Amino acid sequence: MFEELDDYRNKIREFALKEFTEEVAAEYDRKESYPDYLRKKSLSLGIVDMQNPAKVLIAIEELCRVDAGLGIALTTPYFGSEVIMLFGNDKQKEILNDVYRGKYILGLGVTEPSGGSDVAALKTTAKKQGNKYILNGSKMFITNGAIADYLVILARTSEDSNPHHGLSTFLLNTKSKGFSATKLEDKLGVRATNTAELQFNNIELSEDDLIGEEGKGFYYIMMFFNISRIYVAAQSIGIARGAFDKIKSYIKENNIKDEDSMFQLSDVGTRIEASIQMTYNAASYLFEFKPKPELTSMAKAYSSETAVFAAEEAMEILGDRSLYEDVQRIFRNAKIMEIWEGTSEIEKLVIARYILKGE
Amino acid sequence: MFEELDDYRNKIREFALKEFTEEVAAEYDRKESYPDYLRKKSLSLGIVDMQNPAKVLIAIEELCRVDAGLGIALTTPYFGSEVIMLFGNDKQKEILNDVYRGKYILGLGVTEPSGGSDVAALKTTAKKQGNKYILNGSKMFITNGAIADYLVILARTSEDSNPHHGLSTFLLNTKSKGFSATKLEDKLGVRATNTAELQFNNIELSEDDLIGEEGKGFYYIMMFFNISRIYVAAQSIGIARGAFDKIKSYIKENNIKDEDSMFQLSDVGTRIEASIQMTYNAASYLFEFKPKPELTSMAKAYSSETAVFAAEEAMEILGDRSLYEDVQRIFRNAKIMEIWEGTSEIEKLVIARYILKGE
Amino acid sequence: MEEENNILRETVAEFCEKNLDEKKIETDGIDKKLTQLLAEQGFLGCAIPDKYSGSGLDETSYEIILEEIAKYSPTVAMRIFVLNSMYYPAVNGTAAEETLKDASTGKINIAVDFINKKTGNESVSGKIKGTLKNILGTDADKLVVFNDGTSLVSGPFKSESRDFMGFRGLKFGDLFLDNSVQVLDKSNRLSEIMEKAYGPASAIALGMIASALQKAIDYTNVRKAFGSQLRDFEPVSFRLARFRSTEVILRNSLYGKVDPYYTFNFAMEHLVEIARYSVNTHGGYGYFKDFGVEKFYRDAIVMKSIFYGTEELRKLTDHVYSEKINFI
Amino acid sequence: MEEENNILRETVAEFCEKNLDEKKIETDGIDKKLTQLLAEQGFLGCAIPDKYSGSGLDETSYEIILEEIAKYSPTVAMRIFVLNSMYYPAVNGTAAEETLKDASTGKINIAVDFINKKTGNESVSGKIKGTLKNILGTDADKLVVFNDGTSLVSGPFKSESRDFMGFRGLKFGDLFLDNSVQVLDKSNRLSEIMEKAYGPASAIALGMIASALQKAIDYTNVRKAFGSQLRDFEPVSFRLARFRSTEVILRNSLYGKVDPYYTFNFAMEHLVEIARYSVNTHGGYGYFKDFGVEKFYRDAIVMKSIFYGTEELRKLTDHVYSEKINFI
């Protein structure tokens, strides 16, 4: 499934090396803004092909390998699209096509200020009034929040003793009255991506804005996370490989031969290899519609820790050289991998649950 | 390559569960002796099929999962056979066939008392005198050393400034005059296997006993290690899975639900999954005659550390329950994985060398 | 004070060097003669008051003795620990405290069932019946058990010894009870006794760490590989040097002013890793009993498994979260 | 003595609470007013003798100041460290020691190029020319550089500042030299100076560890997740409790009798892990500057990267292998 895509992989790598120069990467990192021209360019060159998940995985990996801030910025305007693809109505799918064509930017609003990983505890409501839903509440740490044209939003549509019930997904036009987004600044890393806090103040949604069935939102989102986690694993592998590239160059350029450095090189290389094998194995089940969520969670948890490990090793091995912008940027970008799309803590609970169920 | 062998895997598992009862495993562990009746039984039932390396891998894994002492005892009478298979003459291959049929037990003598992992430093000599070679020296930690009928021996046949040159492999009949073996006792684990120190005192070898070409022994052995390491990875996976089985049963039987235990369960499971993916990936290259030694070394180093990690976790999670023979035996068996067929330290240097070469 | 401690340390080390052959102890156990010797030197009941024929030493002296003895024989250190840190507080102040005299002088062997933590064998009308599995010290004359309360069972015991992975010199196995029992306390005091024993338990761990590590360092100084000394192979020597930091810091914590909760946690967190790596350092030799290294790895994992788990971590965590932190 | 130390600790903490706004310092740097304030309080030149307008405090007091300040502002602690532990020993006893007066009173800024370790810019006939990259403190008036020798370069400097990942309040960037230079010592003294600074460097690391960890513990006490407090989620609280052990043990080592080689190694080994996990504990909030957590992670990795590597590990290892071990 993946081996045949070597040419595609090379094409992505070339694009990233050409466009994600140190100057561009440093600039967007410094000014913490979204590189929209690169999004457009990537679309015109066919860099992102959302119809082919294997290609998406490879694109994410190779782009993030060169710069994760720009890499994620380019592959995230479609964030949440799987929810629409799987459960959306025709009108929503039309909007999705415009997203794919670059006309719109999409985003996904699940996390709330008080909620974090605890999705079922969310407080945003979409109360039905006649044939409308009235959306109220707030969302936190929403990628593309302040630049998206549309957002897939999870909100509570009815009270239920089971907190997993009564949640629904909507496709929200950010031009709607009552919507406001505040860009969150001073992130540690991935600063070319946009992150925002959202406020919903009596936003009117029509029944057509509901994605799929009412009350099934929690399950749609969990299903989505099973997909998106594999993409975070790919981001992580990209970052780890980027750090590894720096370590290898440094060792070669300085003709380093001491055995302790060789051990560090070997440890990073081995962890990356393990991340790759786990991720591509989990992805092959997922993309053949036979998902094994525990394998996806393992791949995400392990790869994200590998990204952080590799980035820290690069900092330490390069010592004072690590203070240059490129390496320290890798370090700052890596950390979010362990946090978003389910912290490592959440992944581990998911994994344990499946392990015990699987017997 | 491996998925189609599920039936075979089940057959091995059944055999191991039936034959490697707690009583048998504990008995051979306690008396530190070789279970020859099980070797014969395993051959008669077709448990070990040396013609099919994928099957060997699976057999090792499933046998060691139930008990590594017995599992290794049953899969190691063929140790060194690949050297003969690849480089041996007809007479030697005939002997090998008898090994496969269970008539003889084979072993491999490389390590020396002063040498450890430093193969090229070996001191055993096979000096040519006329059309004979006179073997002198000693070997250490030789598996099957005191029970083998034949041993593949690495010895120095000529001095060379490059220590990798001038080494040759021989097939030694242990009934030869001048051969003596002393069983080494009080091993920490894998006590159903036989380990010995060998002495060679002016043993006469004929030219027919030379395996392959004179002077190429080092390379034959390195090639062999590239194969045998994958089997150690499989032993390690077996041990880790055996430990994992104990952890899972304990958690279920005692209805343990605390999150810290779930984390430990998840960590062990994830490392095992990584070991499996790396090992089977490396094996698929190896068994298709496109070996990638760095992947094999990664698989060996990572899986062996996983075996030790899983065994220690089982001890700690089970707490006082871990004092029962079965779990503590797993713990004692695990450690050798990091030591034999190249310590983790050696593997890491091999990995680093290939990483730097591969660019 | 410090000088006194150094003299004690040297005295104990000399004694150990002369009298403790751990390989023999692992095979034959702690025999009558050795027990007698330990009692004569005042090591056996070192932290038990004079009036019970102990040496009445302070905590620091007691821990020095445990540390030094554990370097040579974790088994012997564990026997002393069980008597002084578990048996003594269990019987002290009860009618059974008179047994301490015989225990301190080595006339009787004692055991404490701290492994099972809570036995299901309830004592009924002065008798206790049933099987007690996994007893460390099946050769005991008196045994403290914890059930709803804390009780003393009097031998002789019918027992079946089994091989034990760690502390092999202590007889390990199952007891078949049909013995008289005496309630020492209505509450199960194990947890409280264990908490007070954090320092001494850490001292044993420290001795094991010091000894395993020293063996590894010594080995790297004599062993050659790939044409140079093993110590010149930096991934190994760096790691051993870092372990030495750990050892020195642990020792300073133990004998310094650090809360034993922290010292104990620190000791347990590092014990197994250092013992394991000492085996690694020795290559194939590390796997054989003769080299005296693998035993530390066995003892280490047993010690961690029975002394340290979720329960102890909960105690530590409660301790941390309830502490007043002098920090704004 | 201990009481005095506690009073000093409280005094510094009060000062920090009132005067150190690390978020502002990260953006604006350490301004003249703050420098003045630090000098007035005697913190700036705290370990420099009175005769050079320093406070002449002992090592312990100096380390307490660094630890407490680092809890609030690693940047400020680093500035004090560079002056007292690097600049002072470099110029002490040389003709340049008079510059200490202005440095201790905050009249001039100083910097020490300890990052490059050895500059290729050799001084020729009283002048030094060329570019010095990666200088922490481009706003310095005087700069110590290490090449074949140890030299003092006098400003003003032409410089270009760049963003820096850690210790952001210190101006970081490149200097373009065409300045007068004065040889302080014919040998490169960096390594020797660094070794003597292990204690103070550990004090900064300790302060960072304490502060990052406290933030994480505090957060787990207020944050709810899945219907209960985050602290009830044991994998998190257990880990934080273990980190507290590390912190307490490190503090005891630093102010106790532990060889600074070991303390420094221990501090460097744990600094990044604890800072990293503090970020993790805060979830998404940990990733944003506002919460004041991610900065410890940045500073931690910078500190480890520039202070600790193969060279320091070699020193530690030589130290361990050359030590006489009191163990038979």
Side-chain angles (χ1 to χ4, degrees), chain A residues 30 113-118 140-141 184-190 195 258 260 308 312 315-316 319-320 322-324 328 331-333 335-336 338-339 345-346 349, chain D residues 115-116 133-134 162-165 168 172 223-227 233 236 272 276-277 279-280 283-285 287-289 294 297-298 301-302 304-306 310 313-314:
Chain A
R30 198 176 304 122
S114 63
S117 296
D118 187 3
M140 195 64 175
F141 307 132
L184 297 171
E185 298 199 317
D186 288 325
K187 284 203 293 276
L188 175 61
V190 294
T195 312
D258 73 276
D260 201 51
V308 171
E312 288 185 5
M315 289 294 297
E316 292 175 21
D320 54 292
S322 71
L323 307 176
Y324 296 125
Q328 54 93 359
F331 169 82
R332 289 187 287 101
N333 288 337
K335 194 77 204 71
I336 195 65
E338 292 183 339
I339 300 174
E345 283 76 17
I346 297 297
L349 294 183
Chain D
I115 292 182
N116 287 309
K133 288 185 79 84
N134 289 347
R162 286 189 277 140
D163 293 338
F164 190 41
M165 186 173 64
R168 279 190 180 156
F172 175 78
R223 179 72 176 178
K224 292 205 165 197
F226 296 95
F233 189 62
V236 172
V272 173
R276 180 203 313 129
Y277 197 67
V279 175
N280 283 35
Y285 293 102
Y287 211 61
F288 288 84
K289 188 176 172 182
E294 53 88 37
Y297 184 44
R298 278 189 280 110
I301 194 83
V302 166
K304 193 173 177 192
S305 298
I306 60 184
T310 308
L313 277 165
R314 280 193 187 129

Side-chain angles (χ1 to χ4, degrees), chain B residues 86-102:
Chain B
L86 292 167
F87 309 108
N89 58 33
D90 289 348
K91 195 187 135 205
Q92 290 160 350
K93 284 184 181 166
E94 235 168 77
I95 293 169
L96 184 59
N97 275 328
D98 283 340
V99 170
Y100 289 160
R101 277 194 288 267

Side-chain angles (χ1 to χ4, degrees), chain A residues 8-126:
Chain A
Y8 176 73
R9 184 183 284 277
N10 291 337
K11 174 181 159 182
I12 305 294
R13 173 113 179 114
E14 269 170 41
F15 171 85
L17 288 173
K18 180 162 172 258
E19 299 293 340
F20 297 1
T21 60
E22 178 54 27
E23 290 66 34
V24 172
E27 182 193 342
Y28 282 88
D29 179 57
R30 198 176 304 122
K31 67 186 192 190
E32 208 169 2
S33 74
Y34 184 79
D36 205 48
Y37 83 98
L38 277 175
R39 175 179 71 97
K40 285 174 182 150
K41 194 178 267 184
S42 72
L43 280 167
S44 72
L45 294 170
I47 292 302
V48 181
D49 176 0
M50 289 300 293
Q51 314 296 336
N52 184 334
K55 281 188 171 179
V56 175
L57 198 72
I58 288 169
I60 290 173
E61 184 186 326
E62 290 299 334
L63 295 174
C64 290
R65 181 179 170 189
V66 180
D67 185 81
L70 298 173
I72 296 169
L74 262 57
T75 49
T76 202
Y78 323 95
F79 196 60
S81 61
E82 288 84 354
V83 181
I84 304 172
M85 207 188 294
L86 291 167
F87 309 109
N89 59 33
D90 288 349
K91 196 187 134 204
Q92 290 161 350
K93 283 184 180 164
E94 234 169 78
I95 293 169
L96 184 59
N97 275 328
D98 282 340
V99 169
Y100 290 160
R101 277 195 288 268
K103 187 174 166 192
Y104 298 135
I105 291 177
L106 190 66
L108 178 85
V110 174
T111 305
E112 302 198 349
S114 63
S117 296
D118 187 3
V119 172
L122 65 74
K123 298 200 175 81
T124 295
T125 55

Side-chain angles (χ1 to χ4, degrees), chain D residues 63-111:
Chain D
E63 287 165 354
I64 287 172
I65 291 171
L66 287 177
E67 182 196 340
E68 287 303 316
I69 290 182
K71 286 180 184 171
Y72 291 83
S73 171
T75 300
V76 171
M78 186 57 72
R79 163 150 277 181
I80 295 172
F81 171 84
V82 170
L83 172 58
N84 292 270
S85 288
M86 312 221 71
Y87 188 84
Y88 166 59
V91 300
N92 188 29
T94 74
E97 66 183 8
E98 283 301 316
T99 60
L100 287 167
K101 283 185 185 167
D102 284 347
S104 300
T105 53
K107 289 204 189 75
I108 61 166
N109 282 339
I110 58 85

